[in-house]
Amino acid sequence: MNACGFNFDTTYFTLPDQFYTKLPPEPVRSPHLVILNEALANVMGLDFSELRTAEQAALFSGNELAEGATPFSQAYAGHQFGHFTILGDGRAHLWGEHVTPGRERFDIQFKGSGRTPYSRNGDGRAVLGPMLREYVISEAMHALAVPTTRSLAVVSTGEEVMRETVLPGAILTRVASSHLRVGTFEFAALQGGEDAVSSLMDYTIHRHYPELAGREERAVALIQAVMERQAELIVHWMRVGFIHGVMNTDNMTLSGETIDYGPCAFMDTYDPSTVFSSIDHAGRYAYGNQPKIAQWNLARLAEALLPCIDDDQERAVSIAQEVIDQFSDMFQQKWRAMMCSKLGLSETVSGDKQLIGDLLRWMETNHADYTNTFRDLSKQEKPTEKLYSQSSFEDWYARWQKRREQNSEPRSSSILRMKKANPALIPRNHKVEEALNAAHKGNLAPFQDLLGALKDPYEDPAEFLEGYQIPPNPSERVQQTFCGT
Ligand code: AMP
Ligand code: MG
């Protein structure tokens, strides 16, 4: 189809055959474009404005392929809630790798586009609510400056999808710097042995860490580099109060982008044990557990890479272990620097850890809203809300003021930095649910409004957007989010 600006150059096919299956998406009955991300299209050097509405719907449903697209599904494995399984794209087809005029490479991928050899018992389809959910949360994360896959379009398919009830089918078009996952390495180690792992390692380095190409001990260097990006990513999540919800190894990218928005959610009141996912009974993926789980997942990556680390397995294990053990310190250091920026402290000094910890404990005890507390602290004046009049808060506030006097930078610039670390707006669950419920009934206005509100989350919102800052009242509070796959 057409001259929208597509420029496919799919390097994934240089990997051994077992890593993918070429096949087209399954056509759908009656596609209808629900939303198209023109800003993202623009970033990618794409332009769909010449297409008629029906042509756009055909393109973003897979009923017509983009010019140069070579659709395929990827094979991978993964540890899901700690248990190993062979997976693969059970309901996803990549269009290929599109290279922008600025030479940036992006995977474009359908989610919900039909059955594949990796579908197991699934129907290959996706539901409108969850696809719109991924759309709004991934775009919000992007605006919050958190590395993430993005969303280009959602179409409804005109088909019914059977879940616990009958639901409207939909397809999301996702854009990612790649879909390489920890689980892709686990697959390679299991199915292909050392040669497959080694090809995948070189491919990953070429695509995401070109500075490591040609190095001795590339496997160790790759683990360290992925670890660094993952530590940075989780620090971002902790900063904005994001809970991924399904940090399985197949949902952890090697690029360091957030991927697969299922039962994810943003925390309202601060509590490290917060879990929203209806399937996470043990709290494995709770807010405060995310760093530990990231380390656990990276250990699975290191295991898969063992044959490339050393021929002597015992030596390989001990080298890998040493690398993985560095995660805690690396994370702690980045986390502390992030928390210092949330508190406007220009450099970390001893005592800061205590100061940060005391604030978080105060927030937890008093059920303070995570986002709003930090944003309130980012104001010139001391916040006056009733919650902050407690003596426990007053004491902490006085200590913080004293600490701020040691700052090398002037107050005005430290406040500016705080405002860039502490968003005024996040996609609060009750607002997301409200928007999705309306969309389900055919009214897209609340969804569009929510998207619009989340575009500049670090600006003090205009008065008409202030409602998005208000935490849910008890009756609005969302207790659980569902995969709704
Ligand atoms: P997710 O929870 O979206 O990360 O999916 C986990 C695995 O299940 C992936 O391999 C998906 O491709 C697969 N999967 C999820 N939903 C379906 C479905 N409806 N049909 C086929 N495969 C699915
Ligand atoms: Mg997944």
Side-chain angles (χ1 to χ4, degrees), residues 76 87-91 119-120 122-125 163 251 260:
Y76 51 87
L87 299 159
D89 288 327
R91 53 167 174 168
S119 295
R120 297 174 290 164
D123 60 3
R125 291 302 181 191
R163 294 295 180 260
N251 292 339
D260 263 1

Side-chain angles (χ1 to χ4, degrees), residues 76 80 87 89 91 111 174 181 244 246 248 250-252 259-260:
Y76 51 87
Q80 301 191 304
L87 299 159
D89 288 327
R91 53 167 174 168
K111 188 164 170 178
R174 170 158 84 179
R181 312 147 192 264
H244 183 285
V246 230
N248 296 333
D250 51 303
N251 292 339
M252 185 186 256
I259 195 170
D260 263 1

